[in-house]
Amino acid sequence: MNMTEYGSGMEKRRSYGEGCPVSHALDLVGERWALLVVRELMLGPKRFSDLRDGLCGASSNILTRRLRDLEGIGVLRRQRAGVPVSTNVYELTDWGRSLEPVLFALGNWAVMSPWWDKHAPSTVDSLLLSLRSQAQFFFPGGMPVTGVCDMRVGDDRFTLRFDEAGLAIARAAAYEADALVRMDAHTLKSLVNRDETLDDAIAAGRVRIEGDDRLIRTVIK
């Protein structure tokens, strides 16, 4: 492999040295943990500590290198968060967010693998992205219901927006929402994997819904 330098402030790294766009894409985001960093930022900005907690298999040094590399090629940027956080956060650029269909395509391909262990640990963000991917698959013409859902998974809060454009998910509280859904991460994983039904989780007291339950029932059965 040839050694090529991409972007400003990046370390020299190995390159496939091909003109093929696929090989160039792997030059840019094919390093270990790179696409998982992108996945963890797809729903909104995160602090370094949040990324480290989510990607618990990546050391701080490796995560720092990946963030620097991805910033160097323009996939993400560092921003100063406002009050009350007042710290640096990482967020995807528009080009970085355009990797979403790539992540979905990889995930849809991998679920057919005989070696996939769906019960292995998953981050909350990856589970919600799975919901969004499923919504795109089952409702390609847009969601059959419209409204906004404030979803609380443990201490994390997300806004789920259902409309004719599909299902949009952002890491933010939804005020004046049509529905409020509460659950923990373990329950979310069980529901996304279809190991249990939403009604069973409600009956067990692990899911609480206030407001229009039709919203969440379009993506979680």
Side-chain angles (χ1 to χ4, degrees):
M1 292 186 182
N2 299 323
M3 297 294 290
T4 308
E5 188 172 1
Y6 296 112
S8 59
M10 286 190 65
E11 297 175 348
K12 287 188 176 181
R13 55 195 295 184
R14 290 179 297 177
S15 168
Y16 290 104
E18 295 184 358
C20 169
V22 174
S23 65
H24 183 57
L26 292 175
D27 286 343
L28 296 173
V29 295
E31 293 286 348
R32 185 169 172 81
W33 299 107
L35 279 178
L36 296 188
V37 169
V38 172
R39 182 199 68 192
E40 290 300 296
L41 295 177
M42 194 59 68
L43 300 181
K46 280 188 175 184
R47 299 172 298 180
F48 181 88
S49 58
D50 297 325
L51 288 166
R52 185 183 57 205
D53 291 345
L55 301 173
C56 56
S59 69
S60 293
N61 288 339
I62 288 292
L63 181 56
T64 297
R65 287 202 294 269
R66 292 297 166 266
L67 290 168
R68 183 176 63 238
D69 288 350
L70 292 171
E71 184 179 11
I73 61 174
V75 169
L76 60 80
R77 56 177 167 248
R78 277 178 294 177
Q79 295 277 43
R80 191 72 180 173
V83 294
V85 180
S86 189
T87 188
N88 286 327
V89 296
Y90 295 88
E91 66 178 7
L92 295 177
T93 61
D94 289 342
W95 190 45
R97 280 191 294 273
S98 70
L99 280 165
E100 183 182 60
V102 176
L103 294 179
F104 288 172
L106 281 172
N108 291 334
W109 175 75
V111 297
M112 296 182 289
S113 166
W115 299 284
W116 175 48
D117 180 7
K118 70 176 184 178
H119 297 295
S122 300
T123 66
V124 171
D125 289 67
S126 71
L127 293 170
L128 287 172
L129 286 171
S130 291
L131 278 186
R132 178 161 153 71
S133 178
Q134 291 172 22
Q136 288 186 347
F137 179 80
F138 288 109
F139 305 106
M143 302 304 294
V145 294
T146 59
V148 176
C149 176
D150 183 4
M151 189 168 185
R152 303 181 186 182
V153 184
D155 294 329
D156 295 320
R157 298 186 65 174
F158 300 89
T159 296
L160 278 64
R161 190 173 301 277
F162 301 75
D163 57 31
E164 63 278 358
L167 172 62
I169 304 177
R171 188 181 301 104
Y175 299 101
E176 299 183 2
D178 300 293
L180 170 62
V181 180
R182 294 185 177 94
M183 69 182 73
D184 60 26
H186 177 77
T187 301
L188 176 61
K189 182 173 179 61
S190 178
L191 292 169
V192 170
N193 286 345
R194 300 178 185 250
D195 293 330
E196 67 175 332
T197 66
L198 181 59
D199 286 331
D200 286 342
I202 293 172
R206 289 182 290 103
V207 173
R208 288 180 290 168
I209 302 177
E210 301 173 21
D212 189 355
D213 67 345
R214 295 178 307 156
L215 296 174
I216 197 63
R217 287 184 184 277
T218 59
V219 288
I220 297 179
K221 304 299 184 182

